[in-house]
Each structure stands twice: as C-alpha cells, then as structure tokens.
Coordinates of all heavy atoms in Angstrom, one line a residue:
M298 N -41.6 15.6 60.9 CA -40.5 16.3 60.3 C -39.4 15.4 59.7 O -39.0 15.7 58.6 CB -39.9 17.3 61.3 CG -39.0 18.3 60.7 SD -40.0 19.6 60.0 CE -38.9 20.8 59.9
P299 N -39.1 14.3 60.4 CA -38.1 13.4 59.8 C -38.5 12.8 58.5 O -37.8 12.6 57.6 CB -37.8 12.3 60.8 CG -38.4 12.9 62.1 CD -39.4 13.9 61.8
G300 N -39.8 12.6 58.4 CA -40.4 12.0 57.1 C -40.3 13.0 56.0 O -40.0 12.7 54.8
L301 N -40.4 14.3 56.3 CA -40.3 15.3 55.3 C -38.9 15.5 54.8 O -38.7 15.6 53.6 CB -40.8 16.7 55.9 CG -40.8 17.9 54.9 CD1 -41.7 17.7 53.8 CD2 -41.2 19.1 55.7
I302 N -37.9 15.4 55.7 CA -36.5 15.5 55.3 C -36.1 14.3 54.4 O -35.4 14.5 53.4 CB -35.6 15.7 56.6 CG1 -35.9 17.0 57.2 CG2 -34.2 15.6 56.2 CD1 -35.2 17.2 58.5
R303 N -36.6 13.2 54.8 CA -36.3 11.9 54.1 C -36.9 12.1 52.7 O -36.2 11.7 51.7 CB -36.9 10.7 54.8 CG -36.4 9.4 54.1 CD -36.9 8.2 54.8 NE -36.5 8.2 56.2 CZ -37.1 7.7 57.2 NH1 -38.3 7.1 57.0 NH2 -36.7 7.7 58.4
G304 N -38.1 12.5 52.5 CA -38.7 12.7 51.2 C -37.9 13.7 50.3 O -37.7 13.5 49.1
V305 N -37.5 14.8 51.0 CA -36.8 15.9 50.2 C -35.4 15.3 49.8 O -35.0 15.5 48.7 CB -36.6 17.1 51.1 CG1 -35.7 18.1 50.4 CG2 -38.0 17.8 51.3
A306 N -34.8 14.6 50.7 CA -33.5 14.0 50.4 C -33.6 13.0 49.2 O -32.8 13.0 48.3 CB -32.9 13.3 51.6
R307 N -34.6 12.2 49.3 CA -34.8 11.2 48.2 C -35.1 11.9 46.9 O -34.5 11.5 45.9 CB -36.0 10.3 48.6 CG -36.2 9.2 47.6 CD -37.4 8.2 47.9 NE -37.1 7.6 49.2 CZ -38.0 7.3 50.1 NH1 -39.3 7.5 49.9 NH2 -37.7 6.7 51.3
T308 N -35.9 12.9 46.9 CA -36.2 13.7 45.7 C -34.9 14.3 45.1 O -34.7 14.3 43.9 CB -37.2 14.8 46.0 OG1 -38.4 14.1 46.5 CG2 -37.6 15.5 44.7
A309 N -34.0 14.8 46.0 CA -32.8 15.4 45.6 C -31.9 14.4 44.9 O -31.2 14.7 43.9 CB -32.1 16.1 46.8
V310 N -31.8 13.2 45.5 CA -31.0 12.1 44.9 C -31.5 11.7 43.6 O -30.7 11.6 42.6 CB -30.9 10.9 45.9 CG1 -30.3 9.7 45.2 CG2 -30.1 11.3 47.1
V311 N -32.8 11.5 43.5 CA -33.4 11.1 42.2 C -33.2 12.2 41.1 O -32.8 11.9 40.0 CB -34.9 10.8 42.3 CG1 -35.6 10.6 41.0 CG2 -35.1 9.6 43.2
A312 N -33.4 13.4 41.5 CA -33.2 14.5 40.6 C -31.7 14.7 40.1 O -31.4 14.9 39.0 CB -33.7 15.8 41.2
G313 N -30.8 14.5 41.1 CA -29.4 14.6 40.8 C -29.0 13.5 39.8 O -28.2 13.7 38.9
T314 N -29.5 12.3 40.1 CA -29.1 11.1 39.2 C -29.7 11.3 37.8 O -29.0 11.1 36.8 CB -29.7 9.8 39.8 OG1 -29.2 9.6 41.1 CG2 -29.4 8.6 39.0
A315 N -30.9 11.8 37.7 CA -31.6 12.1 36.4 C -30.8 13.1 35.7 O -30.6 13.0 34.4 CB -33.0 12.5 36.6
T316 N -30.3 14.2 36.3 CA -29.6 15.2 35.7 C -28.2 14.7 35.2 O -27.8 15.0 34.0 CB -29.3 16.4 36.7 OG1 -30.6 16.9 37.1 CG2 -28.5 17.5 36.0
A317 N -27.6 13.9 36.0 CA -26.3 13.3 35.5 C -26.5 12.4 34.3 O -25.7 12.5 33.4 CB -25.6 12.5 36.7
V318 N -27.5 11.6 34.3 CA -27.7 10.7 33.2 C -28.1 11.5 32.0 O -27.6 11.2 30.8 CB -28.9 9.7 33.5 CG1 -29.3 8.9 32.3 CG2 -28.4 8.7 34.6
S319 N -28.9 12.5 32.1 CA -29.3 13.4 31.0 C -28.1 14.1 30.4 O -28.0 14.1 29.1 CB -30.3 14.4 31.4 OG -30.6 15.3 30.4
N320 N -27.2 14.6 31.2 CA -26.0 15.2 30.7 C -25.1 14.3 30.0 O -24.6 14.6 28.9 CB -25.3 15.9 31.9 CG -26.0 17.1 32.4 OD1 -26.8 17.7 31.7 ND2 -25.6 17.5 33.6
R321 N -25.0 13.1 30.5 CA -24.1 12.1 29.8 C -24.7 11.7 28.4 O -24.0 11.6 27.5 CB -24.0 10.8 30.7 CG -23.2 9.7 30.0 CD -22.6 8.8 31.0 NE -22.1 7.6 30.4 CZ -20.9 7.5 29.8 NH1 -20.2 8.6 29.7 NH2 -20.5 6.4 29.3
V322 N -26.0 11.5 28.4 CA -26.7 11.2 27.1 C -26.5 12.3 26.1 O -26.2 12.1 24.9 CB -28.1 10.9 27.3 CG1 -28.9 10.8 26.0 CG2 -28.3 9.5 28.1
S323 N -26.6 13.6 26.6 CA -26.5 14.7 25.7 C -25.1 14.8 25.2 O -24.9 15.1 24.0 CB -26.8 16.0 26.5 OG -28.2 16.0 26.8
R324 N -24.1 14.6 26.0 CA -22.7 14.7 25.6 C -22.4 13.6 24.5 O -21.7 13.8 23.5 CB -21.7 14.5 26.7 CG -21.6 15.8 27.6 CD -20.4 15.7 28.5 NE -20.5 14.6 29.4 CZ -21.0 14.6 30.6 NH1 -21.6 15.7 31.1 NH2 -21.0 13.5 31.4
R325 N -22.9 12.4 24.8 CA -22.7 11.3 23.8 C -23.3 11.6 22.5 O -22.7 11.3 21.4 CB -23.3 10.0 24.4 CG -22.9 8.8 23.6 CD -23.5 7.5 24.1 NE -23.0 7.2 25.5 CZ -23.6 6.4 26.3 NH1 -24.6 5.7 26.0 NH2 -23.1 6.2 27.5
Q326 N -24.5 12.1 22.5 CA -25.2 12.4 21.2 C -24.5 13.5 20.5 O -24.3 13.5 19.3 CB -26.6 12.9 21.5 CG -27.6 11.7 21.8 CD -29.0 12.2 22.1 OE1 -29.2 13.4 22.4 NE2 -29.9 11.3 21.9
A327 N -24.0 14.5 21.2 CA -23.2 15.6 20.6 C -22.0 15.1 20.0 O -21.6 15.5 18.9 CB -22.9 16.7 21.6
G328 N -21.3 14.1 20.6 CA -20.1 13.5 20.1 C -20.4 12.8 18.8 O -19.7 12.8 17.8
R329 N -21.5 12.0 18.8 CA -21.9 11.3 17.6 C -22.2 12.2 16.4 O -21.9 12.0 15.3 CB -23.1 10.4 17.9 CG -22.7 9.2 18.7 CD -23.9 8.3 19.0 NE -23.5 7.2 19.8 CZ -24.4 6.4 20.4 NH1 -25.7 6.6 20.3 NH2 -24.0 5.4 21.2
W330 N -23.0 13.3 16.7 CA -23.3 14.2 15.7 C -22.1 14.9 15.1 O -22.0 15.2 13.9 CB -24.3 15.2 16.2 CG -25.7 14.6 16.5 CD1 -26.2 13.5 16.0 CD2 -26.7 15.2 17.3 NE1 -27.5 13.3 16.5 CE2 -27.8 14.3 17.3 CE3 -26.8 16.3 18.1 CZ2 -28.9 14.5 18.1 CZ3 -27.9 16.5 18.9 CH2 -29.0 15.6 18.8
A331 N -21.2 15.3 16.0 CA -19.9 15.9 15.5 C -19.2 15.0 14.6 O -18.6 15.4 13.6 CB -19.1 16.4 16.7
A332 N -19.1 13.7 15.0 CA -18.4 12.7 14.2 C -19.1 12.6 12.8 O -18.4 12.4 11.8 CB -18.3 11.4 14.9
Q333 N -20.4 12.7 12.7 CA -21.1 12.6 11.4 C -20.9 13.8 10.6 O -20.8 13.7 9.4 CB -22.6 12.4 11.7 CG -22.9 11.0 12.2 CD -24.4 10.9 12.5 OE1 -25.2 11.9 12.4 NE2 -24.8 9.7 12.8
E334 N -20.7 15.0 11.2 CA -20.5 16.2 10.5 C -19.1 16.4 9.9 O -18.9 17.2 9.0 CB -20.9 17.4 11.3 CG -22.4 17.5 11.6 CD -22.7 18.6 12.6 OE1 -21.8 19.3 13.0 OE2 -23.9 18.7 12.9
E335 N -18.1 15.7 10.5 CA -16.8 15.8 10.0 C -16.7 15.3 8.6 O -17.3 14.3 8.2 CB -15.8 15.0 10.9 CG -15.7 15.6 12.3 CD -14.7 14.7 13.2 OE1 -14.2 13.8 12.6 OE2 -14.6 15.0 14.3
P336 N -15.9 16.0 7.8 CA -15.7 15.5 6.4 C -15.1 14.1 6.4 O -14.2 13.8 7.3 CB -14.8 16.5 5.7 CG -14.1 17.2 6.9 CD -15.1 17.1 8.0
P337 N -15.4 13.2 5.5 CA -14.8 11.9 5.5 C -13.4 12.0 5.2 O -12.9 12.9 4.5 CB -15.6 11.2 4.4 CG -16.2 12.3 3.5 CD -16.4 13.5 4.4
Q338 N -12.6 11.1 5.8 CA -11.2 11.1 5.6 C -10.9 10.7 4.2 O -11.6 9.9 3.6 CB -10.5 10.2 6.6 CG -10.8 10.6 8.0 CD -9.7 10.2 9.0 OE1 -8.7 9.7 8.5 NE2 -9.9 10.5 10.2
Q339 N -9.8 11.3 3.7 CA -9.5 10.9 2.3 C -9.0 9.5 2.2 O -8.3 9.0 3.0 CB -8.4 11.8 1.8 CG -8.8 13.3 1.6 CD -7.7 14.1 1.0 OE1 -6.6 13.7 0.8 NE2 -8.0 15.4 0.8
Q340 N -9.5 8.8 1.2 CA -9.2 7.4 1.0 C -7.9 7.4 0.2 O -7.6 8.3 -0.6 CB -10.3 6.7 0.3 CG -11.6 6.6 1.1 CD -12.7 6.0 0.3 OE1 -12.5 5.6 -0.9 NE2 -13.8 5.7 0.9
A341 N -7.2 6.3 0.3 CA -5.9 6.1 -0.4 C -6.3 6.1 -1.9 O -7.3 5.4 -2.3 CB -5.2 4.9 0.0
P342 N -5.5 6.7 -2.8 CA -5.8 6.6 -4.2 C -5.7 5.2 -4.7 O -4.9 4.4 -4.3 CB -4.7 7.5 -4.8 CG -3.7 7.6 -3.8 CD -4.3 7.4 -2.5
Q343 N -6.6 4.9 -5.7 CA -6.5 3.6 -6.3 C -5.3 3.4 -7.1 O -4.9 4.4 -7.9 CB -7.8 3.3 -7.1 CG -9.1 3.3 -6.3 CD -9.1 2.1 -5.4 OE1 -8.7 1.1 -5.7 NE2 -9.7 2.3 -4.2
P344 N -4.6 2.3 -7.1 CA -3.4 2.1 -7.9 C -3.8 2.1 -9.4 O -4.9 1.6 -9.7 CB -2.8 0.8 -7.4 CG -4.0 0.1 -6.8 CD -4.9 1.1 -6.3
T345 N -2.9 2.6 -10.2 CA -3.2 2.6 -11.6 C -2.1 1.6 -12.2 O -1.0 1.6 -11.8 CB -3.0 4.0 -12.3 OG1 -1.7 4.5 -11.9 CG2 -4.1 4.9 -11.8
Y346 N -2.6 0.9 -13.2 CA -1.7 -0.1 -13.8 C -1.4 0.4 -15.2 O -2.2 0.9 -16.0 CB -2.4 -1.5 -13.8 CG -2.7 -2.0 -12.5 CD1 -4.0 -2.0 -12.0 CD2 -1.7 -2.4 -11.6 CE1 -4.3 -2.4 -10.7 CE2 -1.9 -2.9 -10.4 CZ -3.2 -2.9 -9.9 OH -3.5 -3.4 -8.7
A347 N -0.1 0.1 -15.6 CA 0.3 0.4 -17.0 C -0.2 -0.7 -17.9 O -0.3 -1.8 -17.5 CB 1.8 0.5 -17.0
A348 N -0.3 -0.3 -19.1 CA -0.7 -1.3 -20.1 C 0.4 -2.3 -20.4 O 1.6 -2.0 -20.1 CB -1.1 -0.6 -21.5
P349 N 0.1 -3.5 -20.8 CA 1.2 -4.4 -21.0 C 2.1 -3.9 -22.1 O 1.7 -3.2 -23.0 CB 0.5 -5.7 -21.4 CG -0.9 -5.4 -21.6 CD -1.2 -4.1 -21.0
P350 N 3.4 -4.3 -22.0 CA 4.3 -3.8 -23.0 C 3.9 -4.3 -24.4 O 3.4 -5.4 -24.6 CB 5.7 -4.3 -22.6 CG 5.4 -5.5 -21.7 CD 4.0 -5.2 -21.1
P351 N 4.2 -3.5 -25.4 CA 3.9 -3.9 -26.8 C 4.7 -5.1 -27.2 O 5.8 -5.4 -26.7 CB 4.3 -2.7 -27.7 CG 5.3 -1.9 -26.9 CD 4.9 -2.2 -25.4
A352 N 4.1 -5.9 -28.1 CA 4.8 -7.1 -28.5 C 6.0 -6.7 -29.3 O 6.0 -5.8 -30.1 CB 3.9 -7.9 -29.4
P353 N 7.1 -7.4 -29.1 CA 8.3 -7.1 -29.9 C 8.2 -7.5 -31.4 O 7.3 -8.2 -31.8 CB 9.4 -8.0 -29.3 CG 8.7 -9.1 -28.6 CD 7.4 -8.5 -28.2
A354 N 9.0 -6.9 -32.2 CA 8.9 -7.2 -33.6 C 9.1 -8.7 -33.9 O 9.8 -9.3 -33.2 CB 10.0 -6.3 -34.4
P355 N 8.6 -9.2 -35.0 CA 8.7 -10.6 -35.3 C 10.2 -11.0 -35.4 O 11.0 -10.3 -36.0 CB 8.0 -10.8 -36.6 CG 7.2 -9.6 -36.8 CD 7.7 -8.5 -35.9
A356 N 10.5 -12.1 -34.9 CA 11.9 -12.6 -34.9 C 12.0 -13.7 -35.9 O 11.0 -14.2 -36.4 CB 12.3 -13.1 -33.5
P357 N 13.2 -14.1 -36.2 CA 13.4 -15.3 -37.1 C 12.6 -16.5 -36.6 O 12.3 -16.6 -35.4 CB 14.9 -15.5 -37.2 CG 15.5 -14.3 -36.7 CD 14.5 -13.6 -35.8
A358 N 12.3 -17.4 -37.5 CA 11.5 -18.6 -37.1 C 12.0 -19.4 -36.0 O 11.3 -19.8 -35.1 CB 11.3 -19.5 -38.3
S359 N 13.3 -19.5 -35.8 CA 13.9 -20.3 -34.8 C 13.7 -19.6 -33.4 O 13.4 -20.3 -32.4 CB 15.4 -20.6 -35.0 OG 16.1 -19.4 -35.1
A360 N 13.8 -18.3 -33.4 CA 13.6 -17.6 -32.1 C 12.2 -17.2 -31.9 O 11.8 -16.7 -30.8 CB 14.5 -16.4 -32.2
G361 N 11.3 -17.4 -32.9 CA 9.9 -17.0 -32.8 C 9.2 -17.7 -31.7 O 8.4 -17.1 -31.0
M362 N 9.4 -19.0 -31.5 CA 8.8 -19.8 -30.5 C 9.2 -19.3 -29.1 O 8.5 -19.2 -28.2 CB 9.0 -21.3 -30.7 CG 8.2 -22.1 -29.7 SD 6.5 -21.8 -29.8 CE 6.0 -22.9 -31.1
D363 N 10.5 -19.0 -29.0 CA 11.1 -18.6 -27.7 C 10.5 -17.2 -27.3 O 10.1 -17.0 -26.2 CB 12.6 -18.4 -27.8 CG 13.3 -19.8 -27.8 OD1 12.7 -20.8 -27.4 OD2 14.4 -19.8 -28.3
A364 N 10.3 -16.3 -28.3 CA 9.7 -15.0 -28.1 C 8.2 -15.2 -27.6 O 7.8 -14.5 -26.7 CB 9.8 -14.2 -29.3
K365 N 7.5 -16.1 -28.3 CA 6.1 -16.3 -27.9 C 6.0 -16.8 -26.5 O 5.1 -16.4 -25.7 CB 5.4 -17.3 -28.9 CG 5.1 -16.6 -30.2 CD 4.4 -17.6 -31.2 CE 4.2 -17.0 -32.5 NZ 3.4 -17.9 -33.4
I366 N 6.9 -17.8 -26.1 CA 6.9 -18.3 -24.8 C 7.2 -17.3 -23.8 O 6.5 -17.2 -22.7 CB 7.8 -19.5 -24.7 CG1 7.3 -20.7 -25.5 CG2 8.1 -19.9 -23.2 CD1 8.3 -21.8 -25.6
A367 N 8.1 -16.4 -24.1 CA 8.5 -15.3 -23.2 C 7.3 -14.3 -23.0 O 7.0 -13.9 -21.9 CB 9.7 -14.5 -23.7
Q368 N 6.6 -14.0 -24.1 CA 5.4 -13.1 -24.0 C 4.3 -13.8 -23.2 O 3.7 -13.1 -22.4 CB 4.9 -12.8 -25.4 CG 5.8 -11.9 -26.2 CD 5.3 -11.6 -27.6 OE1 4.6 -12.5 -28.2 NE2 5.6 -10.5 -28.2
L369 N 4.1 -15.1 -23.4 CA 3.0 -15.8 -22.7 C 3.3 -15.8 -21.2 O 2.5 -15.7 -20.4 CB 2.8 -17.2 -23.3 CG 2.1 -17.2 -24.6 CD1 2.1 -18.6 -25.2 CD2 0.7 -16.7 -24.6
T370 N 4.6 -16.0 -20.9 CA 5.0 -16.0 -19.5 C 4.8 -14.7 -18.9 O 4.3 -14.6 -17.7 CB 6.5 -16.4 -19.4 OG1 6.7 -17.7 -20.0 CG2 7.0 -16.5 -18.0
Q371 N 5.1 -13.6 -19.6 CA 5.0 -12.3 -19.1 C 3.5 -12.0 -18.9 O 3.1 -11.4 -17.9 CB 5.6 -11.3 -20.0 CG 5.7 -9.9 -19.5 CD 6.4 -9.0 -20.5 OE1 6.3 -9.2 -21.7 NE2 7.0 -7.9 -20.0
L372 N 2.6 -12.4 -19.8 CA 1.2 -12.2 -19.7 C 0.6 -13.0 -18.5 O -0.2 -12.5 -17.8 CB 0.5 -12.7 -21.0 CG 0.4 -11.7 -22.1 CD1 -0.2 -12.4 -23.3 CD2 -0.3 -10.4 -21.8
A373 N 1.1 -14.2 -18.3 CA 0.6 -15.0 -17.1 C 1.0 -14.3 -15.8 O 0.2 -14.3 -14.9 CB 1.2 -16.4 -17.2
A374 N 2.2 -13.7 -15.8 CA 2.6 -13.0 -14.6 C 1.7 -11.8 -14.3 O 1.3 -11.5 -13.2 CB 4.1 -12.5 -14.7
L375 N 1.4 -11.0 -15.4 CA 0.5 -9.9 -15.2 C -0.9 -10.3 -14.8 O -1.6 -9.7 -14.0 CB 0.4 -9.1 -16.6 CG 1.6 -8.4 -17.0 CD1 1.5 -7.8 -18.4 CD2 2.0 -7.3 -16.0
R376 N -1.4 -11.5 -15.3 CA -2.7 -12.0 -14.9 C -2.6 -12.4 -13.4 O -3.6 -12.1 -12.6 CB -3.1 -13.2 -15.7 CG -4.4 -13.8 -15.4 CD -4.6 -15.2 -15.8 NE -3.5 -16.0 -15.3 CZ -3.1 -17.1 -15.9 NH1 -3.6 -17.6 -17.0 NH2 -2.1 -17.8 -15.4
D377 N -1.6 -13.0 -13.0 CA -1.4 -13.5 -11.6 C -1.3 -12.3 -10.6 O -1.8 -12.4 -9.5 CB -0.2 -14.4 -11.4 CG -0.4 -15.7 -12.2 OD1 -1.5 -16.1 -12.5 OD2 0.7 -16.4 -12.4
Q378 N -0.8 -11.2 -11.1 CA -0.7 -10.0 -10.3 C -2.0 -9.2 -10.2 O -2.2 -8.3 -9.4 CB 0.4 -9.1 -10.8 CG 1.8 -9.6 -10.7 CD 2.8 -8.7 -11.4 OE1 2.5 -7.7 -12.0 NE2 4.1 -9.1 -11.3
G379 N -3.0 -9.6 -11.1 CA -4.2 -8.9 -11.1 C -4.3 -7.7 -12.0 O -5.3 -7.0 -12.1
V380 N -3.2 -7.5 -12.8 CA -3.2 -6.4 -13.8 C -4.1 -6.7 -14.9 O -4.8 -5.8 -15.4 CB -1.8 -6.1 -14.3 CG1 -1.7 -5.1 -15.3 CG2 -0.9 -5.8 -13.1
L381 N -4.1 -8.0 -15.4 CA -5.0 -8.4 -16.5 C -6.1 -9.3 -16.0 O -5.9 -10.1 -15.1 CB -4.2 -9.2 -17.5 CG -3.2 -8.4 -18.4 CD1 -2.4 -9.4 -19.3 CD2 -3.8 -7.3 -19.2
S382 N -7.3 -9.1 -16.5 CA -8.4 -10.0 -16.1 C -8.2 -11.3 -17.0 O -7.5 -11.3 -17.9 CB -9.7 -9.4 -16.5 OG -9.9 -9.3 -17.9
P383 N -8.9 -12.4 -16.6 CA -8.7 -13.6 -17.3 C -9.2 -13.4 -18.8 O -8.6 -14.0 -19.7 CB -9.7 -14.6 -16.6 CG -9.7 -14.1 -15.2 CD -9.6 -12.6 -15.3
A384 N -10.2 -12.6 -19.0 CA -10.6 -12.4 -20.4 C -9.6 -11.6 -21.2 O -9.3 -12.0 -22.4 CB -11.9 -11.6 -20.4
E385 N -9.0 -10.6 -20.6 CA -7.9 -9.9 -21.3 C -6.7 -10.8 -21.6 O -6.1 -10.7 -22.6 CB -7.4 -8.7 -20.5 CG -8.5 -7.6 -20.3 CD -8.1 -6.6 -19.3 OE1 -7.4 -6.9 -18.3 OE2 -8.4 -5.4 -19.5
F386 N -6.4 -11.7 -20.6 CA -5.3 -12.6 -20.8 C -5.6 -13.5 -22.0 O -4.7 -13.7 -22.8 CB -5.1 -13.4 -19.5 CG -4.1 -14.6 -19.7 CD1 -2.8 -14.3 -19.7 CD2 -4.6 -15.9 -19.9 CE1 -1.9 -15.4 -19.9 CE2 -3.7 -16.9 -20.0 CZ -2.3 -16.7 -20.1
E387 N -6.8 -14.1 -22.1 CA -7.1 -15.0 -23.2 C -7.0 -14.2 -24.5 O -6.6 -14.8 -25.5 CB -8.5 -15.6 -23.0 CG -8.6 -16.5 -21.8 CD -7.7 -17.7 -22.0 OE1 -7.5 -18.2 -23.1 OE2 -7.1 -18.2 -20.9
T388 N -7.5 -13.0 -24.6 CA -7.4 -12.2 -25.8 C -6.0 -12.0 -26.3 O -5.6 -12.2 -27.4 CB -8.1 -10.8 -25.6 OG1 -9.5 -11.1 -25.2 CG2 -8.1 -10.0 -26.9
Q389 N -5.1 -11.6 -25.3 CA -3.7 -11.4 -25.7 C -3.0 -12.7 -26.0 O -2.2 -12.7 -27.0 CB -3.0 -10.7 -24.5 CG -3.5 -9.3 -24.1 CD -3.1 -8.3 -25.2 OE1 -2.0 -8.4 -25.8 NE2 -3.9 -7.3 -25.4
K390 N -3.4 -13.7 -25.3 CA -2.8 -15.0 -25.6 C -3.1 -15.5 -27.1 O -2.3 -15.9 -27.8 CB -3.2 -16.1 -24.6 CG -2.6 -17.5 -24.9 CD -3.0 -18.4 -23.8 CE -4.3 -19.1 -24.1 NZ -4.7 -20.2 -23.2
A391 N -4.4 -15.3 -27.5 CA -4.8 -15.6 -28.8 C -4.1 -14.8 -29.9 O -3.7 -15.4 -30.9 CB -6.3 -15.4 -29.0
Q392 N -3.8 -13.5 -29.6 CA -3.1 -12.7 -30.5 C -1.7 -13.1 -30.7 O -1.1 -13.2 -31.8 CB -3.2 -11.2 -30.1 CG -4.5 -10.6 -30.2 CD -4.5 -9.1 -29.7 OE1 -3.5 -8.6 -29.2 NE2 -5.6 -8.4 -30.0
I393 N -1.1 -13.5 -29.5 CA 0.4 -14.0 -29.6 C 0.5 -15.3 -30.4 O 1.3 -15.4 -31.2 CB 0.9 -14.1 -28.2 CG1 1.1 -12.7 -27.5 CG2 2.3 -14.8 -28.2 CD1 1.4 -12.7 -26.0
L394 N -0.4 -16.2 -30.1 CA -0.4 -17.5 -30.7 C -0.7 -17.4 -32.2 O -0.2 -18.2 -33.0 CB -1.3 -18.5 -30.0 CG -0.8 -18.9 -28.6 CD1 -1.9 -19.8 -28.0 CD2 0.5 -19.5 -28.6
A395 N -1.6 -16.4 -32.6 CA -1.9 -16.3 -34.0 C -0.8 -15.6 -34.8 O -0.7 -15.8 -36.0 CB -3.2 -15.4 -34.1
G396 N -0.1 -14.8 -34.1 CA 1.0 -14.0 -34.8 C 2.2 -14.7 -34.9 O 3.0 -15.0 -35.6

C-alpha cells in the first residue's frame, strides 16, 4: 500500500507541474497574440521643410557680391541642416553665381 500511495502522489505532482507549465505557456502566447492584434501606434509625423526663400532682386554691382555671399551662406546653412541635399545645393549655388 505505501508504494501505491507514493506512485499516486508522484503522479499528482507531475500532473500539477505539467498543468502549471501549460497554463503559463498559454497565457504567454495569448499575450503575444494580443500584442500583435493591437493596431500599431501612430508614428510621429515627418517634418516638412519650406522651400528656400526666393532670391532677392538684383542689386547694384557693388552690393551684388555681398548679396551673392549672403545667399551662398544661407544655402550652406540649409544644406548643413539637412533641408537641401548636396545636389540641390550645387544647383542653387550655380544659379546664384551665374546670376
């Protein structure tokens, strides 16, 4: 009889442990599935950049070089901030220097 009780007790312990593990796995899977079903959180809107300001009207010859330098400095700042790509910067620079 003691062997029978020991066997039943051992079976009860194994069954209880298996049930506990199974329940934990089920809860974990349910949590993962619920997380996948939730709608994705809204992402922050991408920043929009304004176009560079239009070139000012042509100035007298003496002030012309100062105006071009100011425009080139402003373009360089926009390029450094990431508003203009290097190709856009070169295009605008060529227009300023040609004008």
Side-chain angles (χ1 to χ4, degrees):
M298 194 78 158
L301 180 63
I302 293 175
R303 186 177 303 149
V305 170
R307 184 177 301 147
T308 302
V310 168
V311 170
T314 303
T316 302
V318 170
S319 175
N320 288 340
R321 177 157 168 78
V322 169
S323 294
R324 283 192 304 268
R325 188 180 300 162
Q326 284 179 340
R329 287 181 183 166
W330 291 339
Q333 289 176 353
E334 291 175 359
E335 290 179 5
Q338 299 208 3
Q339 291 184 357
Q340 297 177 353
Q343 295 294 325
T345 55
Y346 298 105
S359 61
M362 185 56 84
D363 291 337
K365 287 181 181 183
I366 291 173
Q368 288 177 333
L369 290 172
T370 304
Q371 190 176 30
L372 278 176
L375 291 172
R376 180 199 58 205
D377 294 343
Q378 293 172 358
V380 175
L381 291 177
S382 69
E385 292 171 326
F386 171 77
E387 292 299 326
T388 302
Q389 293 292 325
K390 182 175 91 171
Q392 288 178 354
I393 291 171
L394 293 176

